């Protein structure tokens, strides 16, 4: 997802190097020690913040997560609440096959897949 950069001096691949003290990301060349401040800092921040458990966190907070799309067309089969969240598929295999839902009723939180 991050753009690939090449060293303008020797055309080798540039590597990301973090200056932890100043919280700056550099693109560095291992061969000629060319070094430039990375301009795609946003990408870098996203990579750092994307922890392995982030996805689980999203799913656990489904009922209260405002970032998830919601629908009022499908009532919860358990409590009949009129607003449910559409959960992202849990694996690539499931894309286009089943849609998972989570009830937005905090006291219910029922989840199901159709
Ligand atoms: Zn170089
Ligand atoms: Zn419910």
């Amino acid at each position: 997802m991050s753009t690939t950069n090449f060293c303008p001096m020797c055309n080798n691949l540039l590597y990301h190097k973090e200056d932890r003290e100043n919280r700056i990301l550099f693109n560095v060349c291992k061969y000629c020690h060319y070094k430039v401040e990375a301009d795609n800092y946003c990408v870098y921040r996203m990579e750092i913040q994307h922890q392995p458990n982030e996805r689980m966190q999203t799913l656990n907070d489904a009922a209260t997560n405002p970032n998830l799309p919601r629908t009022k067309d499908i009532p919860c089969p358990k409590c009949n609440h009129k607003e449910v969240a559409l959960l992202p598929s849990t694996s690539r295999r499931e894309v286009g096959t089943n849609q998972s839902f989570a009830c937005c009723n905090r006291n219910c939180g029922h989840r199901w897949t159709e």
Side-chain angles (χ1 to χ4, degrees):
M1 56 181 259
S2 64
T3 51
T4 304
N5 293 312
F6 293 93
C7 176
M9 314 300 266
C10 66
N11 216 30
N12 279 300
L13 191 62
L14 294 176
Y15 291 85
H16 284 172
K17 189 179 193 320
E18 182 188 5
D19 183 336
R20 290 181 185 277
E21 226 167 86
N22 298 311
R23 300 183 67 81
I24 298 173
L25 182 71
F26 291 100
N27 287 328
V28 296
C29 174
K30 278 185 178 177
Y31 297 92
C32 70
H33 302 291
Y34 170 83
K35 184 179 177 184
V36 65
E37 195 174 328
D39 53 4
N40 54 350
Y41 191 51
C42 288
V43 172
Y44 158 71
R45 283 171 62 98
M46 279 178 62
E47 283 173 359
I48 293 298
Q49 289 168 5
H50 196 81
Q51 301 298 328
N53 64 352
E54 187 178 307
R55 190 176 197 91
M56 287 311 299
Q57 192 67 36
T58 303
L59 293 178
N60 287 338
D61 293 343
T64 54
N65 188 338
N67 296 321
L68 287 175
R70 296 182 176 197
T71 178
K72 292 180 178 176
D73 296 334
I74 304 164
C76 171
K78 198 173 176 187
C79 71
N80 222 27
H81 189 67
K82 290 286 194 297
E83 188 175 16
V84 298
L86 304 174
L87 295 180
S89 297
T90 48
S91 78
R92 287 187 179 279
R93 256 207 338 267
E94 288 177 337
V95 169
T97 56
N98 296 321
Q99 174 66 56
S100 295
F101 303 92
C103 178
C104 289
N105 179 356
R106 276 174 184 244
N107 299 321
C108 172
H110 180 58
R111 289 176 196 190
W112 72 101
T113 301
E114 287 185 351

